[in-house]
Amino acid sequence: MNRPTLYQIRIKEQLDEQWAEWFLPLVIHNEPTGDATLTGPIQDQAELFGLLIKAHNLNLTLVSVNRMADRS
């Protein structure tokens, strides 16, 4: 089984804490710029796609999706 990969998803809107469970395993951080970042481990492309669909269904504006460098 592969290790999860760390991703950071940036969206144009900020998110209330009520969405924390909805976007698990990602952690929400609202930036002073008005954007929000969702950062955390994602097991595979299917899980990533599912999280992006959730953002789309909430009509959130996707700014970027970044795979973070491995620290191994």
Side-chain angles (χ1 to χ4, degrees):
M1 185 174 205
N2 292 336
R3 275 190 347 214
T5 302
L6 187 63
Y7 277 87
Q8 184 178 70
I9 300 170
R10 182 175 293 273
I11 58 171
K12 192 76 174 155
E13 299 80 11
Q14 295 202 340
L15 295 172
D16 293 335
E17 281 300 312
Q18 70 183 19
W19 296 107
E21 190 173 327
W22 180 260
F23 283 106
L24 283 176
L26 304 180
V27 175
I28 298 169
H29 179 74
N30 290 313
E31 304 287 338
T33 61
D35 292 354
T37 58
L38 297 95
T39 306
I42 297 178
Q43 190 64 40
D44 54 27
Q45 292 296 303
E47 184 178 16
L48 175 61
F49 190 67
L51 291 163
L52 294 174
I53 288 172
K54 287 181 181 184
H56 173 75
N57 289 342
L58 291 172
N59 202 30
L60 299 173
T61 305
L62 184 65
V63 175
S64 64
V65 177
N66 295 306
R67 182 178 176 171
M68 309 304 281
D70 288 334
R71 295 183 182 160
S72 50

